[in-house]
Amino acid sequence: MNNVKNIKIAAIGDSITFGYPYTPGQSWFNRAAGRLNISHVNSGVNGDTTEGMASRFGRDVLRHQPTHVIIMGGTNDAYLGSDVASVMDNIRYMSERALEDSIVPIIGLPIPCNDLAEELLLGKYRKEIRSYAAGGGLDVIDFHAAMTDSNGTKIKAGLHCDGIHPNEDGYSVMTDAAVKFLVEKLMMRESNI
């Protein structure tokens, strides 16, 4: 963890990256970056879709010149019924734009939601995200596993405020997952350079 000063991470996403219903300071991303003393930019926007994220990627990620970007979206796409192909096109676009600018893309798997139809669609997104990441050698933060109940279909009881958004305990669980990933995958890698 010696070269933490050389890491700057941006996160682009929806309300779950923003930290809704709280402030960005209470989001999983800001809490994780703060815990690790990493320079960071939270570009989570309440209500955003992967299409919206892709359209603002230059302004909200590239102009900040981070070393890494965490891309996490899909929940609002699921509520709009967006097909898997269009969501993946947006995620691919953002990942490729990052790589073109020498920014390492990391994809966050969307957390579960308690609405069955939307959760089924989110499951399809997650499957394609895993496949895409594996094929391209990209890292994935599995927020879904950290937040899902024993049946694998809903947010764990006590970790959400409305069946979609984490509560403070939920954001703490996401923070722990992000910190574990960042320490194992990024900070250890950086210190070995």
Side-chain angles (χ1 to χ4, degrees):
M1 290 196 245
N2 304 334
N3 295 327
V4 96
K5 63 181 180 271
N6 297 328
I7 297 174
K8 179 180 183 180
I9 302 180
I12 190 161
D14 53 29
S15 56
I16 296 167
T17 297
F18 176 87
Y20 181 89
Y22 312 107
T23 65
Q26 292 168 283
S27 70
W28 63 267
F29 177 65
N30 287 45
R31 289 161 99 181
R35 195 186 299 174
L36 298 172
N37 198 28
I38 297 173
S39 178
H40 62 284
V41 177
N42 186 330
S43 292
V45 171
N46 294 333
D48 210 1
T49 62
T50 57
E51 182 178 9
M53 291 160 54
S55 71
R56 61 187 177 86
F57 196 75
R59 179 188 74 227
D60 288 354
V61 174
L62 300 181
R63 80 175 175 95
H64 294 289
Q65 300 179 317
T67 56
H68 300 80
V69 60
I70 300 171
I71 301 164
M72 191 174 84
T75 300
N76 292 311
D77 299 77
Y79 278 90
L80 292 172
S82 301
D83 62 84
V84 176
S86 64
V87 170
M88 289 311 302
D89 284 347
N90 295 325
I91 290 173
R92 258 191 298 278
Y93 169 80
M94 290 184 278
S95 299
E96 289 167 8
R97 284 290 312 273
L99 290 167
E100 287 169 10
D101 278 37
S102 302
I103 299 166
V104 177
I106 301 158
I107 305 174
L109 288 183
I111 67 171
C113 72
N114 289 352
D115 295 313
L116 183 58
E118 288 77 10
E119 177 53 33
L120 288 172
L121 194 48
L122 275 168
K124 292 177 183 176
Y125 299 164
R126 288 185 206 102
K127 181 179 178 185
E128 289 302 313
I129 288 168
R130 285 184 185 281
S131 176
Y132 168 66
L138 303 180
D139 284 320
V140 169
I141 303 177
D142 194 348
F143 290 115
H144 177 257
M147 294 289 288
T148 194
D149 65 12
S150 59
N151 296 323
T153 56
K154 293 186 176 187
I155 301 180
K156 285 180 188 170
L159 296 185
H160 65 90
C161 57
D162 58 8
I164 302 167
H165 297 95
N167 60 16
E168 290 188 47
D169 289 339
Y171 280 122
S172 292
V173 168
M174 292 183 73
T175 299
D176 291 344
V179 166
K180 183 175 188 293
F181 171 87
L182 293 169
V183 168
E184 290 177 1
K185 294 287 187 167
L186 299 185
M187 298 169 84
M188 298 304 268
R189 208 178 279 164
E190 291 291 317
S191 67
N192 291 330
I193 293 174

